[in-house]
Amino acid sequence: AAGATVVKVTAQSGSMACNYIVFVGKAAHEEYCANHEPVPSLAEEWLIQCLINQRIVAINEHPSYTDFNKSSDA
């Protein structure tokens, strides 16, 4: 609804143009950044809140948007 495209990103993925990358867990973020230019970490909670609010919310609006402590592989 917001015009997003879901792309599976792995450590072996090549460069791609995008505005945000949402990681499922801290380990996924660390693996990506080990092989690519570091990017801000966005947790699933940010994506969920974008859907609930029907808009892209600022990534710094709430600590849970970048907090992976609740994730199973934190």
Side-chain angles (χ1 to χ4, degrees), residues 4 9-10 13 18 37 46 59 63 65:
V9 177
T10 65
S13 296
C18 61
E37 184 175 329
W46 174 80
I59 62 175
Y65 298 169

Side-chain angles (χ1 to χ4, degrees), residues 39-60:
V39 297
S41 58
L42 287 173
E44 289 175 286
E45 183 62 27
W46 174 80
L47 179 60
I48 292 166
Q49 291 303 318
C50 288
L51 294 171
I52 290 170
N53 289 284
Q54 299 179 5
R55 65 180 177 85
I56 296 175
V57 297
I59 62 175
N60 57 357

Side-chain angles (χ1 to χ4, degrees), residues 3 15-17 20 26 33 35-36 47 50-51 53-54 58 60-63 67-68 70:
S15 298
M16 59 186 80
Y20 302 100
K26 187 175 183 176
C33 290
N35 297 293
H36 298 85
L47 179 60
C50 288
L51 294 171
N53 289 284
Q54 299 179 5
N60 57 357
E61 265 186 36
H62 196 276
D67 181 13
F68 291 103
K70 298 176 190 172

